[in-house]
Amino acid sequence: MGGFDDSAHYLAQKMNYNGADGLEFGAGNTKIDPAVMRELPEGCKVRSTENHGVSFWAQTGRIDVLLRDGTPQSFFIKVTSKELGMNMTRGEFQSMSTIHNVLPEFVPKPIACGTYEMIPHTHFFLCEFREMTDDMPDPHKFAALLSTLHQKSISPTGKFGFHITTYAGNLPQFVAWEDSWEAFFAKTMRQALDLEIERKGPSEELDVLSSALFEKVIPRLLRPLESDGRIVKPSLVHGDLWYANAGIDVDNGQPLVFDACCFFAHNEYEFGQWRPACNRFGDDYVAAYNTFAQISPPEEDFEGRLDLYRLVLDVMRDLVQRYGE
């Protein structure tokens, strides 16, 4: 969930990563914490480590090893601090594992999450390393995989939610199980608004807009999805699908996603993130997706629902004007 500001990814306070003295990535260092070493293939030898990728909340690196038989293999590692960091790495591991169980070709294989032995309050997420380009994936190839993930996935409870709290950036998402998508989404919005008020202080405008949003807009746009015999299937969503969390595998040209913060939701929730032009998942991706999956009825509310799923303050103003009467 992107929060109420399109630049929330950048504005939220950077995680206080304490630094792993003696275990830094790069500069010829091959020393790995024993807890991480145990998760690597038995008998392998670490050849090198290096910083890899960019994260606002963590230290990210690549570990290159030689297996017992001399085969080279590489792993991606993300390291964070404190209790929040531990919860974030657990949420990411569970998210990526859940996607991998449904559609293994769509994500790098997750291996483990855990806590360093040598440095207190330092936690890691480990997965296989996949070399990726920064190019945008082909809309039809990408939409085929995403729609398969949404359609094949089955909520373990038959409800909306997830079994562990997941984090968009460093913000916890509402994941408690709910039967109704409208009820689940309203609680999601309430939590996001509470976090916004906590961060920026109360706002009279936000009070007015939010009461219209909960009393008028959400029932108007979401209740019809679950009325007159219609149902919403809880689909596994990536949860934070902007262009920086997707890439193309250099080896096979296939689209990949990463940095997931999953839960079971209305499949169209995934596209809320795609509305701002800066995301680069433009209308061609939504159009491609809709060739694989039918728009939820009533179809005439599709654009309004996608705006609702954006969760951005200026869009709230617009939605209250359009649907708040």
Side-chain angles (χ1 to χ4, degrees), residues 45-227:
K45 185 172 172 21
V46 177
R47 292 166 64 208
S48 68
T49 64
E50 59 185 76
N51 284 302
H52 182 86
V54 175
S55 168
F56 302 107
W57 331 111
Q59 184 90 19
T60 52
R62 169 180 171 158
I63 303 170
D64 292 328
V65 308
L66 278 181
L67 302 181
R68 251 192 196 140
D69 65 3
T71 312
Q73 198 171 343
S74 299
F75 299 88
F76 174 81
I77 186 168
K78 183 183 282 190
V79 185
T80 67
S81 296
K82 304 182 179 171
E83 187 180 4
L84 176 61
M86 178 176 68
N87 294 337
M88 285 164 60
T89 52
R90 284 179 180 170
E92 182 169 358
F93 177 71
Q94 292 294 330
S95 294
M96 296 291 279
S97 299
T98 307
I99 295 178
H100 190 265
N101 289 341
V102 178
L103 199 62
E105 63 268 37
F106 202 27
V107 287
K109 184 181 182 182
I111 293 164
C113 63
T115 298
Y116 271 23
E117 271 182 27
M118 293 168 69
I119 309 167
H121 314 302
T122 300
H123 314 282
F124 68 91
F125 164 73
L126 184 72
C127 69
E128 68 171 346
F129 181 85
R130 303 277 282 272
E131 190 71 59
M132 285 182 243
T133 71
D134 289 338
D135 300 328
M136 289 299 288
D138 172 78
H140 278 271
K141 268 189 186 175
F142 189 79
L145 286 163
L146 187 63
S147 62
T148 302
L149 174 71
H150 291 162
Q151 289 165 32
K152 267 181 72 177
S153 53
I154 297 168
S155 167
T157 61
K159 299 180 181 188
F160 301 96
F162 204 58
H163 62 280
I164 186 173
T165 300
T166 55
Y167 290 75
N170 64 354
L171 299 174
Q173 303 194 111
F174 175 83
V175 295
W177 298 108
E178 286 285 342
D179 288 308
S180 146
W181 170 242
E182 181 192 338
F184 179 88
F185 184 79
K187 289 183 177 178
T188 295
M189 278 296 274
R190 179 63 69 196
Q191 179 165 309
L193 278 163
D194 289 347
L195 285 167
E196 179 78 359
I197 291 161
E198 200 179 296
R199 234 170 49 189
K200 295 185 178 170
S203 142
E204 203 174 313
E205 185 195 22
L206 202 55
D207 286 348
V208 172
L209 287 174
S210 62
S211 70
L213 190 78
F214 289 107
E215 289 164 28
K216 302 274 174 60
V217 179
I218 291 176
R220 163 64 189 83
L221 284 171
L222 300 190
R223 195 162 297 168
L225 289 167
E226 299 173 297
S227 302

